Amino acid sequence: HFGPSLTQWLHGQMSRETNEQRRQGLLTAVQRAVAGLDEQLRELQGRWQETQDADRYRRWGELLLTFAHAIPYGTAEAEVTDYDTDPPQTVQVPLPKGKSPTQAAQHYFSLYRKLQSAAEALPAVMERLQRQRDELAQFEGRVRAAGDGELERLFDEAKAKGLWREQTASARSGEKADEFLRFTVAGGYEVLVGRNSEANTKLLRIARPEDLWFHVKGAPGSHALLRRQKRGEPVLPVAIEQAAQIAAHFSRRRTSSWVEVDYTQARYVRPAKGQKGLALYTHFKTVTVEPKLP
């Protein structure tokens, strides 16, 4: 039989060990989130570097249209003269395989517009991600320094931030407590995926009008929803591409090399009457992606 003081000491020791284990678990979750933001920032920095070529692609398109009549079809690279430079310069313009000079010009104009759009949206997104990363780094320092009472408050804060979720009995037993799969894509956007037809239907009920809804074209599959963080904000093309890849992964065509995925704002999607989990949609665009998870 242990005396009261020894029993209290053992109880306190076990409590301290439990708190330290939970502290390490929270630190691991925070560090994982920081690493994820670092990876997204590196990827977006690479995209930003790509946008610096936008004007070159626009000029290539203009030159191809100007000299289209003199460029033989099937040419891999056109040699043209840019008379807008002083002195005029000879420019080598690669032509995508299978495209005529005019089609190649439209390809470069499309690429220019896409890069211009990204150049406008990227700075704000990168600033927001960097701010989130700095806040998480500060939060990590608070977790390391916190006493037991403060640590509990930090757990509550971590739950509110979505960094920490206490493991329930159903989760420990391997049951799926959440009806949606959750992913984070470039720009920090959350993407929800329905696990079954009931969840697909509920996804539309919880969607905000400007959220983006994704589904593989002409094949069975889960619905995916990209949650916009602010009303009217532009969504990065890379985020749309990654959300489409997720939708393709959770479809019958997940083993295909390339899959067409339709996407539109949730305001243009409605459940099909009498057909659980199916939806009708309009005002959509289509992207071709490789099925994979971020």
Side-chain angles (χ1 to χ4, degrees):
H1 178 69
F2 296 119
S5 59
L6 180 56
T7 302
Q8 291 171 358
W9 180 84
L10 288 171
H11 178 75
Q13 185 71 9
M14 292 173 63
S15 178
R16 283 189 291 273
E17 290 177 357
T18 299
N19 280 340
E20 285 308 307
Q21 289 174 353
R22 296 182 73 222
R23 185 196 307 273
Q24 290 304 315
L26 182 53
L27 285 172
T28 299
V30 173
Q31 290 162 0
R32 187 183 302 121
V34 169
L37 288 172
D38 284 341
E39 183 177 352
Q40 290 180 43
L41 283 166
R42 284 193 298 272
E43 181 176 353
L44 294 183
Q45 186 61 43
R47 295 276 175 163
W48 172 254
Q49 293 299 326
E50 291 177 10
T51 66
Q52 307 310 297
D53 288 329
D55 285 334
R56 176 157 60 96
Y57 292 134
R58 175 185 57 79
R59 189 58 185 148
W60 280 3
E62 292 170 348
L63 290 170
L64 287 175
L65 285 184
T66 300
F67 296 99
H69 63 282
I71 302 172
Y73 183 86
T75 300
E77 188 174 69
E79 183 175 286
V80 295
T81 302
D82 188 349
Y83 290 101
D84 286 347
T85 61
D86 187 18
Q89 295 181 353
T90 299
V91 180
Q92 306 290 337
V93 182
L95 274 71
K97 186 176 181 180
K99 291 185 182 296
S100 68
T102 302
Q103 291 171 331
Q106 296 305 321
H107 165 77
Y108 285 125
F109 287 141
S110 175
L111 192 54
Y112 164 75
R113 289 191 295 270
K114 187 180 295 185
L115 291 176
Q116 281 289 92
S117 175
E120 293 172 3
L122 275 170
V125 174
M126 293 171 69
E127 181 182 353
R128 174 163 53 80
L129 290 181
Q130 185 62 53
R131 189 165 58 247
Q132 291 176 1
R133 194 231 183 266
D134 293 343
E135 290 173 356
L136 282 178
Q138 293 177 2
F139 186 75
E140 179 182 353
R142 291 168 58 198
V143 172
R144 291 186 183 280
D148 291 348
E150 175 65 13
L151 188 61
E152 285 304 314
R153 287 190 288 273
L154 291 177
F155 270 104
D156 291 337
E157 190 174 331
K159 291 174 189 175
K161 293 176 181 291
L163 291 170
W164 183 261
R165 183 181 299 174
E166 296 287 2
Q167 199 174 31
T168 62
S170 62
R172 286 192 294 271
S173 66
E175 295 176 16
K176 296 174 181 176
D178 196 340
E179 54 201 319
F180 304 122
L181 296 165
R182 299 172 185 269
F183 301 90
T184 302
V185 296
Y189 300 99
E190 183 180 41
V191 175
L192 305 182
V193 180
R195 292 182 182 273
N196 48 46
S197 58
E198 288 82 3
N200 285 340
T201 300
K202 184 173 181 181
L203 203 59
L204 286 177
R205 290 202 298 268
I206 68 170
R208 296 182 289 262
E210 290 190 342
D211 289 345
L212 295 182
W213 178 91
F214 295 77
H215 194 275
V216 167
K217 180 186 288 290
S222 294
H223 299 186
L225 189 74
L226 183 148
R227 310 300 301 273
R228 266 194 166 110
Q229 294 154 342
K230 292 182 182 179
R231 185 175 180 181
E233 68 171 348
V235 179
L236 287 173
V238 63
I240 291 174
E241 179 182 344
Q242 290 178 344
Q245 289 175 328
I246 293 171
H249 177 83
F250 291 102
S251 76
R252 292 273 181 88
R253 293 182 177 167
R254 63 184 299 174
T255 58
S256 301
S257 298
W258 297 97
V259 177
E260 286 188 313
V261 178
D262 292 337
Y263 71 96
T264 187
Q265 292 185 35
R267 69 172 84 244
Y268 300 124
V269 187
R270 59 184 175 85
K273 289 184 179 180
Q275 301 182 52
K276 187 182 295 184
L278 297 182
L280 304 175
Y281 54 95
T282 59
H283 298 76
F284 63 90
K285 297 180 180 179
T286 304
V287 291
T288 303
V289 297
E290 177 187 3
K292 64 178 182 179
L293 298 180

